[in-house]
Amino acid sequence: MADHPTPHPTYEALITEATAVPTEGWDFSWFEGRATEARPSWGYATAKAERLAHATAALDIQTGGGEVLDFALGRAAPSVPVLAVATEGWPPNVAKATALLRPRGVAVVASAEGAPLPFADGTFDLVTSRHPVAPDWAEIARVLRPGGTYFAQHVGPRSVFELVEYFLGPQSHDTLAGGLPGRHPDRERADAEAAGLEIVDLRAERLRIEFHDIAAVVHFLRKVVWMVPDFTVEAYDTRLRALHERIESEGPFVAHSTRHLFDARRPPAPGKHR
């Protein structure tokens, strides 16, 4: 008896699955087999672990669900900072990060994005962040000790814009979806230097992303809410159905992410060796 090919899930079934997946945290394991993204050559999480292993007081800004910091501290152990703190602004992520990071001795502080950091001047010798929405360079410089380091991976300009423009149409080169300022590494370098930081290393890469089904697209847009700020399945049903048919007939939808690595330092106090 001949085998019958397994039918592809319907559009409705894929949408139902995608809208049922929780969006808290920055764990992207659900996308396995449904979407792929090339990773930057510098291996941020592993490099972050190496920095944490030599820090005495560390702050992770906009930690999400704490997944990247948890991984890095696990790699850094047993040499972990005496003082380890993380901030997060979204309440579901605060709860998730607290549950994940408290066993590692990390204090998670609820701090709204854009608000001043709730720490004294010069508290930390290492400040880290993976994909902050909009770095507050003055605040980062303020909480760093003289000679301290800001080590972060940022989202670059026009990241995943093939997908953004599929839904929203052409976007300005100088803005992100939702009117957020463009995150060009040269602009961020200038802002960091204006805040008094020295740039030790800055490098950028453009990386391929493939979405293999419409469920991956929907979950991504529900999770990374600033890409298409008014996104709902109902509002974009026509475009989603058309994209589903396109993926079914032509294969994965291809986009590109942009990332840059920041290694910056607050200058040492006068008279101190570099």
Side-chain angles (χ1 to χ4, degrees), residues 5-215:
T6 303
H8 289 186
T10 64
Y11 171 81
E12 288 75 14
L14 289 168
I15 293 297
T16 298
E17 182 179 0
T19 54
V21 183
T23 57
E24 295 86 353
W26 290 116
D27 179 3
F28 284 77
S29 60
W30 181 86
F31 287 98
E32 187 172 350
R34 323 191 74 131
T36 58
E37 180 180 1
R39 298 299 180 188
S41 61
W42 49 76
Y44 177 70
T46 300
K48 181 173 183 169
E50 295 170 358
R51 301 299 181 105
L52 286 165
H54 296 93
T56 58
L59 168 65
D60 195 53
I61 298 173
Q62 296 179 31
T63 198
E67 297 88 353
V68 177
L69 181 58
D70 178 66
F71 171 86
L73 286 170
R75 292 290 294 266
S79 299
V80 296
V82 174
L83 173 64
V85 184
T87 65
E88 174 56 33
W90 192 41
N93 275 350
V94 173
K96 185 170 185 178
T98 299
L100 184 62
L101 296 172
R102 180 180 289 164
R104 293 201 182 275
V106 179
V108 178
V109 177
S111 179
E113 198 280 317
L117 293 171
F119 310 108
D121 297 1
T123 299
F124 303 99
D125 59 320
L126 176 67
V127 174
T128 60
S129 192
R130 181 179 180 272
H131 303 174
V133 175
D136 187 332
W137 294 107
E139 282 294 284
I140 291 167
R142 181 184 66 78
V143 301
L144 276 173
R145 296 171 181 169
T149 294
Y150 175 68
F151 185 72
Q153 179 175 292
H154 291 189
V155 176
R158 299 183 64 79
S159 191
V160 202
F161 252 46
E162 296 92 341
L163 187 64
V164 170
E165 294 188 328
Y166 175 82
F167 289 99
L168 299 181
Q171 300 292 296
S172 166
H173 283 270
D174 294 326
T175 63
L176 298 171
L180 293 171
R183 292 177 283 193
H184 195 283
D186 291 342
R187 182 178 300 165
E188 292 197 332
R189 173 196 287 272
D191 291 343
E193 290 176 338
L197 298 176
E198 297 177 341
I199 307 305
V200 177
D201 191 15
L202 175 56
R203 60 185 93 165
E205 292 183 1
R206 187 169 184 264
L207 306 153
R208 183 182 176 94
I209 296 177
E210 295 184 357
F211 294 93
H212 292 266
D213 66 23
I214 201 65

